[in-house]
Amino acid sequence: MRKSGILMPVFSLPSDWGIGCFSKEAEEFVDFLVRSGQSYWQLLPLSPTAYGDSPYQSPSAFAGNPYFIDIAALCREGLLTEEEAESYRKLCSTRSRVDYNFLYTTRGDILLKAFSRFDTRSPDYISFKDTESYWLGDYALFMAIKETLGGAPLKDWPGKLKHAHNGATADFDVDTIRRAEFHKFVQYQFMKQWLGIKKYANSKGIQIIGDIPIYVAADSADLWSHSELFELGSDLNPVTVAGCPPDRFDKRGQLWGNPIYDWEQHTKDGNRWWIERIKRNMRLYDVIRLDHFRGFESFYSVPADSETAEKGEWRKGPGIELFNAIKKGCPHAKFIAEDLGFITDSVRKLLADTGFAGMKILQFAFEGTEDNVYLPHNYTANNVVYTGTHDNHTAAGWATAAPPSAVKRMAEYVNTPLSCREDVCRSLVHLAMTSVADTCIIPFYDYLERGDEYRINIPGKVGGHWTVRFDREDFSGVLVRRIWHLTKLSGRLKHTGVEPRMVLK
């Protein structure tokens, strides 16, 4: 069945709290999707952010971002006073972009106030801790230790603390133990609020597409608590790190810096870490997008002391055996594979063997020849088509940044003059929606025809990204009707019937 949806990061939603969160605006966005005839809300990772503010460099592959907790909901629970919430709202509400430094220095204090009034004997809270026991305790203690050390990265921790399970962490003082309990409380609030939004979305027929990075950060609870699953030296620092080899876009390659998995050890352990990770994400999402899928077939490994990615090597990944184990442990999981980058026949075979839907990016389509796999006439139904991803230009930005030959080729392909960047943007959206791909996801900024000032991320660049936010006025009735018409025209309309009249104000 043909379906479509919109890519909207939670942090980009309107709110009064300095960042998009699980507030009433999240439910209003679900209503927007319903009125537009959509079937999916695609997210970026809900992980906590750390260095570089990227959710792909998180202190945990399991935890949720505390910044997404709705402060107003804590007030309604009686954990904050109206005066406390209003005072904090005034500090937050003037920020049109996400200011992560502001959030880092202020959000913890108000969440601590809420925690001071919370009953940790609550049966629901105790049940939550039991359900999330595989990761929650280690994560909470990791964050508590990190805070007692002034935020120091794991590589700079004292030797005895680097080893999570050597007994050195058993004698912490009351303050550290209390701080760890605070982090469990934060994750409880995150989960409770998010599941409320997800339940609302599902009740309206909207499914959630989540996103999980393939790698974890070197400064993470995952590496600290499961060091045996990574290629580390005796000091628990990475021996090898992940990256991307040199190409026409970057002659030095991309040095991501994430530690490399010891895939042999994962196999010996029955791939439990991955199975538990997928189970956790199945509680968060209806469909899971697997980042950097090609890394499961072969991955690019670089010596950890390298300054660029030029001297790396390709090494064999876990392949179909990992996905067979995941399928056995999580038989109802649904996946989208981010099969982008340097794709070989072996990667294509792995994708075919899994049966997962792959991705098609229209911004990649108009260079090369007519056999370019991103041109719509080369698609098969089992794909998800995008105008671009969060790592690409916006569609209107691509119209300006792309080689003139690519824009000319696109004009020939659509048999329409493209006299301005808005023409290019609309044509890319139209091509995506009318393609044969079963699923089409359009980033919200492309429906608004916004330029690269709304671009979410530039790979390899640290700082200044992941900050895009939208205004309440962007969710107009005019836009609802335009999306609804295109969705109906392309046979992707979720709800049949008359054109929507009631729209978000």
Side-chain angles (χ1 to χ4, degrees):
M1 182 178 178
R2 291 168 63 77
K3 296 180 180 179
S4 60
I6 293 176
L7 171 63
M8 170 65 75
V10 169
F11 62 77
S12 293
L13 290 168
S15 87
D16 292 330
W17 307 110
I19 188 171
C21 61
F22 304 147
S23 60
K24 60 182 175 61
E25 287 84 0
E27 290 192 354
E28 288 174 352
F29 180 66
V30 171
D31 294 339
F32 179 92
L33 291 170
V34 173
R35 291 166 181 155
S36 307
Q38 303 307 294
S39 301
Y40 294 112
W41 176 5
Q42 179 166 332
L43 307 170
L44 295 181
L46 296 179
S47 316
T49 53
Y51 175 72
D53 306 325
S54 169
Y56 293 89
Q57 292 284 353
S58 177
S60 173
F62 291 80
N65 193 332
Y67 301 154
F68 294 160
I69 294 172
D70 179 24
I71 302 301
L74 299 180
C75 190
R76 291 192 295 270
E77 282 189 39
L79 300 177
L80 295 171
T81 67
E82 291 185 5
E83 292 76 17
E84 287 167 340
E86 177 60 18
S87 176
Y88 186 63
R89 187 194 66 80
K90 288 180 179 179
L91 291 175
C92 299
S93 59
T94 59
R95 289 167 166 79
S96 59
R97 289 258 175 170
V98 180
D99 183 340
Y100 288 98
N101 184 62
F102 165 78
L103 294 171
Y104 179 76
T105 56
T106 65
R107 189 58 58 93
D109 290 339
I110 197 162
L111 292 176
L112 273 168
K113 284 183 181 179
F115 174 59
S116 70
R117 296 159 185 156
F118 178 71
D119 183 3
T120 57
R121 298 167 298 177
S122 160
D124 191 51
Y125 178 59
I126 293 171
S127 176
F128 163 77
K129 292 197 291 184
D130 181 63
T131 299
E132 307 297 339
S133 61
Y134 177 77
W135 64 274
L136 183 63
D138 288 334
Y139 165 75
L141 188 55
F142 173 83
M143 295 301 293
I145 296 171
K146 190 176 181 66
E147 288 167 1
T148 63
L149 296 175
L154 179 59
K155 67 181 181 65
D156 294 334
W157 287 16
K160 65 178 182 178
L161 294 180
K162 276 190 175 183
H163 299 266
H165 303 296
N166 68 350
T169 61
D171 300 321
F172 279 113
D173 58 27
V174 173
D175 181 66
T176 304
I177 299 303
R178 181 69 173 167
R179 174 67 66 161
E181 195 68 30
F182 163 70
H183 285 287
K184 295 177 186 178
F185 159 78
V186 168
Q187 290 305 308
Y188 168 71
Q189 290 294 339
F190 168 93
M191 192 66 169
K192 181 171 69 170
Q193 291 190 11
W194 170 244
L195 289 184
I197 300 297
K198 183 179 183 295
K199 182 178 179 180
Y200 182 79
N202 290 165
S203 74
K204 300 283 186 175
I206 301 297
Q207 290 198 305
I208 305 296
I209 300 175
D211 189 317
I212 64 172
I214 182 175
Y215 292 119
V216 305
D219 185 22
S220 70
D222 310 288
L223 187 142
W224 180 66
S225 59
H226 295 283
S227 58
E228 74 282 0
L229 299 179
F230 300 88
E231 295 186 351
L232 308 177
S234 58
D235 57 359
L236 293 192
N237 291 329
V239 175
T240 55
V241 295
C244 181
D247 57 23
R248 64 192 181 95
F249 299 107
D250 192 330
K251 294 181 179 179
R252 299 186 305 170
Q254 295 178 30
L255 189 63
W256 299 336
N258 305 84
I260 294 293
Y261 294 113
D262 184 336
W263 285 115
E264 183 177 345
Q265 188 59 43
H266 280 267
T267 301
K268 289 180 180 178
D269 192 38
N271 291 296
R272 186 185 175 193
W273 185 86
W274 274 99
I275 291 169
E276 293 291 343
R277 188 182 184 192
I278 298 302
K279 285 180 178 178
R280 163 69 173 165
N281 280 275
M282 288 175 69
R283 295 193 284 275
L284 297 173
Y285 314 121
D286 300 299
V287 182
I288 299 170
R289 174 190 178 271
L290 289 170
D291 172 61
H292 196 57
F293 177 80
R294 74 101 51 247
F296 294 106
E297 190 279 324
S298 295
F299 57 92
Y300 194 69
S301 172
V302 184
D305 58 358
S306 300
E307 295 184 0
T308 73
E310 293 171 277
K311 295 183 179 180
E313 63 174 346
W314 286 102
R315 296 166 57 192
K316 207 64 182 165
I320 194 62
E321 289 76 15
L322 172 64
F323 295 110
N324 287 339
I326 290 174
K327 184 176 181 180
K328 183 177 180 180
C330 311
H332 302 296
K334 299 177 182 178
F335 296 101
I336 295 169
E338 190 241 10
D339 57 332
L340 307 177
F342 177 60
I343 304 303
T344 64
D345 287 342
S346 297
V347 178
R348 285 186 276 271
K349 182 180 186 305
L350 178 61
L351 181 64
D353 289 345
T354 63
F356 301 161
M359 289 175 54
K360 299 299 181 186
I361 309 300
L362 278 173
Q363 288 185 30
F364 301 164
F366 301 103
E367 296 184 57
T369 62
E370 63 276 3
D371 61 353
N372 184 321
V373 297
Y374 297 106
L375 283 168
H377 67 258
N378 291 319
Y379 295 177
T380 58
N382 191 30
N383 279 290
V384 184
V385 60
Y386 300 77
T387 46
T389 75
H390 63 277
D391 283 334
N392 302 134
H393 297 281
T394 68
W398 178 83
T400 302
S405 59
V407 177
K408 179 182 178 182
R409 182 170 173 79
M410 178 185 167
E412 294 173 347
Y413 192 82
V414 299
N415 195 31
T416 302
L418 302 175
S419 58
C420 62
R421 71 178 195 173
E422 289 77 15
D423 287 344
V424 175
C425 183
R426 290 173 199 143
S427 293
L428 282 173
V429 171
H430 190 274
L431 270 177
M433 288 289 280
T434 56
S435 76
V436 299
D438 281 342
T439 304
C440 175
I441 304 293
I442 303 295
F444 187 64
Y445 46 68
D446 285 347
Y447 276 127
L448 295 174
E449 300 170 5
R450 300 285 168 82
D452 270 351
E453 68 274 14
Y454 279 80
R455 181 172 181 169
I456 292 174
N457 182 53
I458 300 176
K461 305 293 183 182
V462 177
H465 306 304
W466 316 99
T467 64
V468 169
R469 297 186 66 195
F470 297 102
D471 297 323
R472 290 175 175 85
E473 294 73 23
D474 291 328
F475 302 85
S476 68
V478 172
L479 184 60
V480 165
R481 290 190 289 272
R482 183 158 66 86
I483 296 173
W484 188 91
H485 276 300
L486 179 55
T487 307
K488 184 175 186 296
L489 177 70
S490 57
R492 301 182 185 276
L493 191 65
K494 181 184 182 303
H495 303 285
T496 58
V498 298
E499 178 179 348
R501 299 283 180 189
M502 296 179 64
V503 296
L504 292 176
K505 296 181 179 179

